[in-house]
Structures are given as C-alpha cells and as structure tokens.
Amino acid sequence: MKKFIATFIEKLGFVIISKKKINTYQVATLEKEYPLLREKGKFIKATANGGLKGKLLEEGRTRWLEIGCGGVFEDNFTYVDLFPDTLVNREGKYFRMDIVNATQSELSKLGKFDLIRMQHVFEHFTPEDGLTVLANCAKLLKQDGYILITTPDLKKYIDFYLSGQIRNNFDWSLNRIKKDSPNSFYFSIFTHSVRYEKHEWCYDIEGLIYQLDSTQKYKNIREITLDDSLANIPFTHNRPNEDVCVLAQLL
C-alpha cells in the first residue's frame, strides 16, 4: 500500500523520502532512485544537512555575528548594519555600525564571535574596503573562529548569460530594468545591482580566496560547495542557484 501511495504521489510531481535517506545516500544514488530529483539532489541534501550550523551547535560555539542583516533574523546571531536602530526591533542584538570605518572602541563593544557571516554583502564593498572589512572581522573572531562569505558567483552568471538563461528566475532585476530588456541588461544587473544597493565588485571562488589570503589573517580557506558536508541551505548558501561560498578560520 505504501509503495502504491508513493507511486501515485510521484506521478503528481512529488516524492516521499526519509531524512535518513537524504543524509546517508550519495547525490547520484538519490537521483537514480528518485528520477524527479535529477539535478536537484545536491539542493535537497544541502537543505536537510546540518552542515556548519550543526557543527557549531554541537561544539557549543553559538555566538554568531551577521554583517548586513537584510531584515532576516535568526537565533544566536548579533547583527550589524546601517539601518537606524529605530527600524530594527532587536534590542541588544542589533548595532548600527559602518563596518568599513568602525573604530576599535566600536568593535570592542561587540565582543568576540565564533562565526561571522556575510551573505550577499561583500560584493557591495570596493575591493579596498573589502580588505578593511576582513581585517575588522579578524578582530572580532575568537581563536579558530570562522568567517563565511557568500556572493553572486561571476562564473555562474557568465554561464547564465552565454546559455541565454540570464533572465530566468531573477525577477528582482525588474526593480531597475524592463522585462523586455536584452540579456546584456540582465547581466548588468548582476554587475551593478539596483541603484541604491550597488555592487562594487564581482567575485568567483578564486577572487574570494585571494582577498582572504591577502589579509594574512586567515587559514583553512576553502570553497563550500553544495555537496560539502558543511553546506546547508540557507545557513551557508542563501541563494544556492547563484552564489559562491567560502569559509575560513582566524589564523
């Protein structure tokens, strides 16, 4: 009976799969057993995977800092952004601060953290300011603390552009351009973004590693792909279709 129900549901475009299978099966095995998951297996696994978040929680390392909160708030995080305090209802957990020009006194008030996360924020700094931000983050990390950065992936966007898929799934770009704009306009949205939240630089994994390495303040610098055991959607990858993710530890 269970097999009949599962077959019927699959014909409707859904699958029933246990979390144990998701966590223990390889992506290729999942996609073979469940054809509907073809080319989606890594996204399913990364959503169910405890990843970096689970690792930190298991180790009791629960003091986390988010730079650029974007209006989304999670447990264990303290937030830094440029919104006025009156617009962010997170008393004691939100600090209005310019992380590029932060003074040592301001940084000291924040304390030390086990994790600093920047999701689709780092590309809004110039590369010069980005180095300053990374240096300030180093001052805020505990020993062996982690820094995690995601940005739009230049390589993915080039592939989207060359394959003609650049206009797919990017409705947010219509805040600036018309729907019938040419593909070059859609690609330019990636490069420049909307008028009041400009992208100042483009990154792929080599660029992110280069910036982190240039500070000489981080070790164990590596990419976290969706099939990595530390990956988790949305904790490490909040826009998995389009971002690149790098993780490093304080030297």
Side-chain angles (χ1 to χ4, degrees):
M1 186 65 178
K2 287 183 179 179
K3 186 175 181 180
F4 171 78
I5 294 173
T7 302
F8 176 73
I9 291 176
E10 189 167 337
K11 287 181 178 179
L12 296 177
F14 302 94
V15 294
I16 296 177
I17 180 171
S18 69
K19 189 171 182 179
K20 182 179 179 180
K21 277 190 176 182
I22 293 173
N23 288 331
T24 58
Y25 280 25
Q26 296 293 321
V27 170
T29 305
L30 276 176
E31 294 182 351
K32 183 178 180 180
E33 184 169 335
Y34 302 92
L36 283 175
L37 297 183
R38 193 162 296 144
E39 298 184 0
K40 301 175 184 176
K42 61 184 179 181
F43 293 92
I44 299 296
K45 282 186 70 69
T47 301
N49 186 25
L52 178 62
K53 181 178 183 179
K55 173 181 170 62
L56 290 169
L57 290 174
E58 286 177 7
E59 295 174 354
R61 304 175 70 181
T62 56
R63 184 160 164 76
W64 307 336
L65 177 69
E66 179 90 78
I67 296 176
C69 56
V72 178
F73 303 100
E74 302 176 55
D75 292 339
N76 298 319
F77 275 103
T78 297
Y79 293 89
V80 164
D81 210 323
L82 292 174
F83 300 116
D85 294 353
T86 53
L87 294 181
V88 182
N89 185 24
R90 299 288 290 186
E91 186 175 352
K93 287 291 186 177
Y94 173 75
F95 297 86
R96 188 170 193 261
M97 181 185 296
D98 178 357
I99 193 64
V100 176
N101 298 300
T103 65
Q104 184 56 53
S105 175
E106 289 176 312
L107 295 174
S108 296
K109 288 180 181 178
L110 290 175
K112 299 282 187 176
F113 296 88
D114 299 301
L115 168 74
I116 294 177
R117 186 175 72 175
M118 285 184 278
Q119 291 186 310
H120 288 258
V121 170
F122 197 62
E123 68 273 16
H124 294 280
F125 303 121
T126 65
E128 296 83 4
D129 285 347
L131 290 175
T132 301
V133 170
L134 293 177
N136 283 338
C137 287
K139 297 175 183 177
L140 292 168
L141 283 172
K142 296 180 181 180
Q143 183 178 357
D144 291 329
Y146 291 96
I147 183 168
L148 181 126
I149 302 171
T150 62
T151 72
D153 188 346
L154 175 60
K155 289 183 177 179
K156 287 182 180 178
Y157 272 82
I158 288 174
D159 286 343
F160 291 151
Y161 177 71
L162 293 177
S163 65
Q165 300 179 62
I166 189 68
R167 64 179 61 239
N168 297 346
N169 303 316
F170 298 106
D171 289 344
W172 59 269
S173 58
L174 302 182
N175 291 326
R176 185 170 187 184
I177 63 175
K178 296 181 179 179
K179 192 171 184 178
D180 63 354
S181 298
N183 285 351
S184 60
F185 276 45
Y186 280 83
F187 186 82
S188 294
I189 282 288
F190 157 71
T191 308
H192 304 294
S193 197
V194 294
R195 291 181 67 186
Y196 303 108
E197 295 181 3
K198 295 189 300 180
H199 287 180
E200 296 285 1
W201 211 249
C202 298
Y203 289 101
D204 55 15
I205 188 58
E206 288 84 0
L208 290 174
I209 291 174
Y210 176 80
Q211 285 287 77
L212 283 159
D213 195 49
S214 294
T215 66
Q216 298 184 348
K217 296 181 183 296
Y218 296 95
K219 62 182 179 181
N220 301 329
I221 306 169
R222 65 185 182 96
E223 181 178 10
I224 302 296
T225 59
L226 284 178
D227 54 3
D228 192 292
S229 62
L230 293 180
N232 172 268
I233 298 172
F235 192 82
T236 59
H237 296 72
N238 62 333
R239 299 180 190 174
N241 286 318
E242 59 183 280
D243 62 24
V244 58
C245 178
V246 66
L247 182 70
Q249 287 181 280
L250 183 66
L251 187 64

